[in-house]
Amino acid sequence: MPKKQYTTIKRTKLAFLPSVRATNKVFKKLHKRIMKWTRTVLRRIKMSRFLKPRFVSEHKSLSHITSTGKMRLLETKTERGYRPQLLAAIKDITSCRDEPFQVCDVNDIIEKYKTWAKLLPDIDTYYAVKCNDDLPVLQLLATLGTCFDCASREEIRKVLSLGITPERIIYANPTKPISHITYASGVGVDIMTFDNENELHKIYKCFPESKLVLRIRSDATSALYPMGMKFGCDPIKDAPKLLRTAKSLGLNVVGVSFHVGSGCQEPAAYGRAIRAARAVFDHSNTLGFKFSLLDIGGGYPGGSGSSLEELADIIKTALKSHFSDLSVRVMAEPGSYYVASAYTVATCIHSIRNVVDDDNVEQHRMYYVNDGVFGSFNCVVTVHDTVYPQPLKEYLDGTMLSSSVWGPTCDGLDKIVDNALLPDMQIGDWILFGNMGAYSLPLVTTFNGYLIPKVYYVMNQELKLATKDILSIPSKYIRIMEDKPK
Ligand code: PLP
């Protein structure tokens, strides 16, 4: 019957057309899906080059699972190089506790600071507090001399409490509650972003003397956390109108900002955004504004092995092409860049479920650990980020099992790793997850009664001495690690 129908349709031209359209629609849909999948795979492959294998997989009984692309991909990504000194420090901590914890490598943050200063010395950094507001991190960056990007009254309060002057803060949230704007006004934090007309009227009423920065939209084609659908006005269609409104209200707009997206995977996006910003600068001139600030936002990669070099070259080239004739202060709001690679999450296996087939042969291993997506691993559900499990111990027999790793709560969503090859581990063994410094700690909840993981700080002796009066870390949470980060 279906065959017959097909022949009839094929012979009649007019009847055939709708079916072509229908087929086109199906193909378009399929094409869209394939493209989306390809982009995800490419993104994962890109990330996987930061990770280097440590174990040779010798999985025998479940080899059919490794024949799927997904499993092979995860297999290469699950193991990454940890410095032996860091592993030793973590082992030392695990010997006296069974609660999950995070480890912050303080020297790693300093290395990031030095790299930025070397590659982009003329661009002031305003650390994005939202990314990780762990007090010692803020204290360290404040001491090193960074400024701060705050998103709310509480973040401003926290940064001011470190003794930071208000001039070192930008209130970089284009949509703000009136009470927060009033607070900023009261404490003298007067640089803030906006991207819409209503915000201008709000600011006009409660803080008309502020220095405003127009946030434009200029998205990377690929980013872990895109921003454009929420923030940023169209630089061509909307910016002129907003500037006219600001002018008519007598507000002081001083510059342009953008954010290409967190975890930007398209370095060229910065060049495009800088060019778009210049067009807005030019337009502002025609309205009588004297712009003096360009804020190139966040989005810089911060995982171990990632490099700032390519991005720095693109940014410098774009600034030279589009801004060399103007006297402009350029600033950036890196968050992930400073902290992502510094933090490792350590979880302990508290339960194991063996999934067996009808012949009682194990097909899959489910490891339940004491931290999950309602704790340190929020990124797994919010942005479908992939995290990479690394067993703390070495398992010398080489057996690798098809495994998943689950968080401790009673929620079915609480899965950290979907499909990975992991050794034959036992209850009480530890699994580490690296590159966890960005958007982890501030998002931890106590759902199901699980506590917020404690943070231990590792650093070399020299740094410990230099920071003993600067970082508020109880000595029981400090571990000494002698060598410098790679
Ligand atoms: N600036 C603003 C306005 C942001 O919203 C964010 C992140 O949400 C950042 C900076 C930090 O971005 P990243 O962590 O990608 O550097």
Side-chain angles (χ1 to χ4, degrees), residues 115-130:
T115 304
W116 186 288
K118 185 169 142 226
L119 296 176
L120 294 166
D122 299 326
I123 301 183
D124 299 331
T125 57
Y126 283 63
Y127 171 67
V129 176
K130 61 184 83 64

Side-chain angles (χ1 to χ4, degrees), residues 128 130-131 149 172 215 227 259 262-263 298-300 333-337 439:
K130 61 184 83 64
C131 180
D149 151 14
R215 168 111 166 235
M227 306 271 176
H259 193 309
S262 275
Y300 317 91
E333 299 165 355
S336 315
Y337 168 76
Y439 307 105

Side-chain angles (χ1 to χ4, degrees), residues 54 70 239 342 429 466:
R54 185 157 168 260
K70 189 168 186 191
D429 287 357

